[in-house]
Amino acid sequence: MNRYLDVNPEVEQAVREGRPVVALESTIISHGMPYPQNVETALNVERIIRENGAVPATIAILGGRLKAGLTPEEIEYLGKTGQAVTKASRRDLPVLVAQGKDGATTVTTTMMIAHMAGIKIFATGGIGGVHRGAETTMDISADLEELANTPVLVVCAGAKSILDLGLTLEYLETHGVPVIGYGTSELPAFYTRKSGFSVDYRLDTPAEIAAAFKAQREMGLKGGMLVTNPIPEEYSMDPDVINRAIDEAIEDSVREGIHGKATTPYLLAKVKDITGGDSLDSNIRLVYNNARLAAQVASEYCGKWSK
Ligand code: PSU
Ligand code: MN
């Protein structure tokens, strides 16, 4: 275990005893949702994970320490501080740690710290991917590279069409990352259950997902696995409404010259403004849905498949 890492005692004990643990990211708290809904959501997610038999481990960087497992006070702090916390991807870790700073972890850094702490399963809302226009901007999220390299299973609701979903799937294929649809053969597009793109495999139970991940690990294959879980029907949005909002948000971002790490948070906030908060409710519901599935997969992985 490296000397920059703090695993909270409950998480550490669960990992050591081979019990189910689910990692959670903190960029979704500080950059993905407004206060106070962000804190309320993060605490509810932890509760849902417990109700489904696993231990939650929300991950962040606090005072330069890599934290696996936060207290409710630490979650409140990240939610209240919001965008003022550095959005921390892989390239940010060395300086943040050396300078004793705080960082909200993206999918990338959450996977990294989960892996350091021995946690194998991670639940979030949406992942980063290949942005529209990446042919010229080269804006490809570090999340995809992390999925290619780090052995953590990520449960998400697919990717938002702020991204180029076709190119995102191509990238994952090239890097050997299995893209699983939970109960669907179509890639969900976060706010909607459909995207027009196919996943690699449809698996219908947490046990089947756990078995595939177990096989990947036991063969010693590099990299993670992406499980895409469609938003429940009752919370999904009208595709025309959401796609119009996304197109408008992208036009605004181009006009305002937004680039680099600011792009994703900018687009997420714009889409929320344009849809008047409906998208926030959907976003919260799909995160709960993913937390539940991740806890079930973690339980299957530990219960039936671990030594
Ligand atoms: N997509 C979402 N919600 C999010 C993010 C992406 O629908 O909160 C966050 C995640 O933390 C993800 C990060 O890892 O944005 C990707 O940022 P970038 O595109 O700059 O790599
Ligand atoms: Mn980017």
Side-chain angles (χ1 to χ4, degrees):
M1 207 167 271
N2 78 55
R3 69 186 185 91
Y4 301 102
L5 178 67
D6 291 333
V7 182
N8 93 10
E10 187 193 9
V11 172
E12 191 276 327
Q13 191 184 352
V15 169
R16 188 160 30 82
E17 292 174 358
R19 287 188 287 114
V21 179
V22 174
L24 300 158
E25 63 155 303
S26 46
T27 291
I28 192 174
I29 303 174
S30 58
H31 292 69
M33 290 183 192
Y35 182 80
Q37 289 95 333
N38 54 4
V39 172
E40 197 185 301
T41 303
L43 297 174
N44 282 337
V45 163
E46 291 211 340
R47 182 177 46 75
I48 290 167
I49 286 171
R50 287 185 194 284
E51 284 168 4
N52 285 275
V55 174
T58 302
I59 288 180
I61 302 151
L62 292 173
R65 303 294 302 169
L66 310 178
K67 296 273 184 189
L70 300 185
T71 63
E73 293 72 29
E74 288 167 334
I75 289 175
E76 169 77 21
Y77 164 74
L78 286 169
K80 218 167 190 167
T81 313
Q83 311 262 347
V85 181
T86 301
K87 174 182 160 193
S89 191
R90 177 176 269 271
R91 58 110 184 252
D92 301 290
L93 287 190
V95 174
L96 290 178
V97 165
Q99 298 199 337
K101 297 262 169 60
D102 299 333
T105 53
T106 62
V107 168
T108 298
T109 39
T110 304
M111 288 179 76
M112 291 171 68
I113 296 169
H115 182 52
M116 290 175 194
I119 303 167
K120 299 184 178 71
I121 314 285
F122 163 21
T124 188
I127 57 156
V130 181
H131 279 265
R132 297 200 208 164
E135 312 85 277
T136 50
T137 62
M138 289 183 66
D139 189 350
I140 300 173
S141 174
D143 293 353
L144 299 184
E145 197 64 25
E146 209 58 46
L147 281 163
N149 287 293
T150 301
V152 170
L153 179 147
V154 180
V155 178
C156 69
K160 291 198 176 87
S161 43
I162 59 171
L163 303 172
D164 186 318
L165 300 184
L167 292 186
T168 300
L169 288 173
E170 292 292 347
Y171 193 102
L172 291 168
E173 181 187 357
T174 300
H175 289 84
V177 179
V179 179
I180 308 298
Y182 179 57
T184 180
S185 47
E186 186 165 343
L187 179 74
F190 198 87
Y191 298 116
T192 57
R193 295 170 63 86
K194 296 199 173 304
S195 66
F197 292 95
S198 297
V199 294
D200 303 328
Y201 293 94
R202 169 183 173 155
L203 298 179
D204 290 320
T205 63
E208 285 178 275
I209 295 170
F213 187 55
K214 191 75 178 182
Q216 187 189 33
R217 300 277 53 79
E218 290 186 345
M219 285 187 282
L221 300 181
K222 181 171 83 112
M225 183 172 283
L226 187 65
V227 174
T228 64
N229 185 25
I231 184 170
E233 189 78 58
E234 63 269 39
Y235 304 116
S236 69
M237 295 186 70
D238 179 340
D240 291 337
V241 171
I242 196 68
N243 289 331
R244 231 178 298 121
I246 286 171
D247 288 343
E248 194 181 326
I250 290 175
E251 280 169 30
D252 289 351
S253 76
V254 171
R255 192 168 43 242
E256 292 182 32
I258 308 294
H259 65 273
K261 69 192 287 187
T263 302
T264 298
Y266 176 95
L267 293 173
L268 300 181
K270 266 276 171 202
V271 168
K272 187 183 69 68
D273 289 348
I274 297 167
T275 55
D278 284 1
S279 63
L280 178 61
D281 188 49
S282 296
N283 196 343
I284 292 169
R285 296 301 179 161
L286 67 82
V287 172
Y288 294 163
N289 193 44
N290 295 344
R292 192 173 314 110
L293 177 59
Q296 291 165 353
V297 172
S299 300
E300 291 290 346
Y301 189 89
C302 292
K304 297 194 183 145
W305 301 97
S306 242
K307 56 90 221 171

